[in-house]
Amino acid sequence: MLAGGIVGMVDDLIGLKVKEIQKIVVNTSNEVIALGRLDVEPGEEVRVATPKAKAEVDDLLKEGKVEVIGEVPIKTEPEELEKIVCQVVIGIFFALTGIVTTLGGFELGLWAIPVVIIAILGCINSVNLIDGMDGLAAGIVGIASIFCCLYIYLFGQVSLIPPFLILSALCLGFLVFNKYPASIFMGDTGSFVLGTGYAAAVLVCDIPYFGVLALGVPIFSVIVSLLHRAHIIKLPVEPLHHTLNHYGMSELKIIFTYWGVTFLLCAIGILAKMYLF
């Protein structure tokens, strides 16, 4: 968690420098216009973010089809490859401790290294992607961690509860200030701490199936974003929770829906373990 927090903090510190100022425009025409990869409805407001949209917006302004109504500063961020390399280093560091030798009933041997790296990468990026609304990431990880405590209490060794108990306490304590409307935001520092912490706890406590199910909402969100980036599906705004907000779903409704689905997935996992396995 400390290693993840340091990597996230460096990312946040780099982000203090403004990379560019992006325009926010509104469609002032009476027809749907194409801007970048978006189809913008009359009266709809969008941010000019992609290179394609930036190349097209000047012509639309000259034609009087859009109007600039604001600007938003975009922070400087490390390249995606640089982030991935840092996350892989965290995974290698954790794998080389030798604490993860079995997972889900299988002896890992040398496979422990790629398995741990994939778990760290997946968890960090899932939590980081979901951290876009007040209390969303902290609430989901908090609910998942509480249910992991319950799962271990019912079906595992009680001595393994502390890692998830710590995560639960961190999330609930942070939610006091991060709930809607938030007065404190976690940034990459917090999302990397929660991502590495949750992944490490799942691996150490050896509950991969329930651990993945409990984090199903962020994982699904990552899959949707990957499909969007691969041009298989088209989102007006990425990630998924911003798309829902774009189509009129309120921030509070999205937060409670995501929390509720996480709660439901965890409950299903525990009931399935009780009565089916």
Side-chain angles (χ1 to χ4, degrees):
M1 290 173 69
L2 178 61
I6 290 172
V7 172
M9 182 176 65
V10 171
D11 193 346
D12 283 334
L13 291 174
I14 292 172
L16 293 176
K17 181 180 178 182
V18 175
K19 178 182 179 181
E20 62 174 310
I21 303 294
Q22 293 182 353
K23 296 182 177 71
I24 299 175
V25 299
V26 61
N27 181 358
T28 54
S29 70
N30 295 320
E31 59 186 26
V32 177
I33 60 171
L35 180 60
R37 294 185 62 200
L38 300 179
D39 294 323
V40 187
E41 299 285 341
E44 184 179 357
E45 300 174 8
V46 294
R47 179 160 54 91
V48 183
T50 65
K52 188 173 186 295
K54 292 173 186 175
E56 296 171 348
V57 72
D58 288 337
D59 289 336
L60 292 172
L61 285 168
K62 290 176 184 177
E63 294 170 10
K65 293 184 176 180
V66 299
E67 181 181 323
V68 177
I69 58 171
E71 295 180 332
V72 58
I74 303 300
K75 70 176 187 177
T76 301
E77 290 196 73
E79 297 292 331
E80 289 297 325
L81 181 59
E82 294 172 345
K83 291 184 179 183
I84 295 297
V85 169
C86 290
Q87 294 167 20
V88 168
V89 170
I90 295 172
I92 293 173
F93 167 75
F94 187 57
L96 291 178
T97 63
I99 195 170
V100 180
T101 57
T102 62
L103 195 65
F106 297 95
E107 287 287 340
L108 294 177
L110 290 177
W111 285 102
I113 296 176
V115 167
V116 170
I117 291 173
I118 291 170
I120 294 289
L121 279 172
C123 204
I124 287 177
N125 288 289
S126 295
V127 176
N128 191 42
L129 186 70
I130 210 74
D131 178 34
M133 291 183 174
D134 298 349
L136 193 57
I140 288 173
V141 177
I143 293 167
S145 298
I146 291 170
F147 270 96
C148 284
C149 289
L150 179 60
Y151 183 89
I152 294 171
Y153 176 79
L154 293 173
F155 312 114
Q157 302 177 37
V158 177
S159 61
L160 294 176
I161 287 179
F164 285 110
L165 198 61
I166 291 168
L167 276 173
S168 303
L170 284 172
C171 292
L172 294 178
F174 188 69
L175 274 173
V176 173
F177 308 98
N178 187 236
K179 67 180 184 299
Y180 183 89
S183 58
I184 297 177
F185 306 96
M186 67 171 68
D188 286 345
T189 305
S191 62
F192 276 47
V193 165
L194 294 184
T196 51
Y198 187 86
V202 168
L203 292 168
V204 170
C205 298
D206 195 6
I207 55 167
Y209 309 120
F210 185 78
V212 169
L213 179 65
L215 212 65
V217 171
I219 291 171
F220 178 75
S221 186
V222 167
I223 293 171
V224 170
S225 287
L226 290 175
L227 292 173
H228 168 74
R229 295 179 188 186
H231 305 293
I232 296 173
I233 63 173
K234 182 179 178 181
L235 297 177
V237 190
E238 189 193 357
L240 180 60
H241 53 271
H242 287 317
T243 289
L244 296 175
N245 189 236
H246 174 80
Y247 284 121
M249 194 171 181
S250 70
E251 185 170 334
L252 264 180
K253 187 176 289 186
I254 294 168
I255 293 166
F256 286 129
T257 299
Y258 275 42
W259 286 4
V261 173
T262 300
F263 187 96
L264 184 62
L265 287 174
C266 292
I268 289 172
I270 288 179
L271 291 173
K273 179 69 174 179
M274 280 182 170
Y275 298 108
L276 299 179
F277 300 103

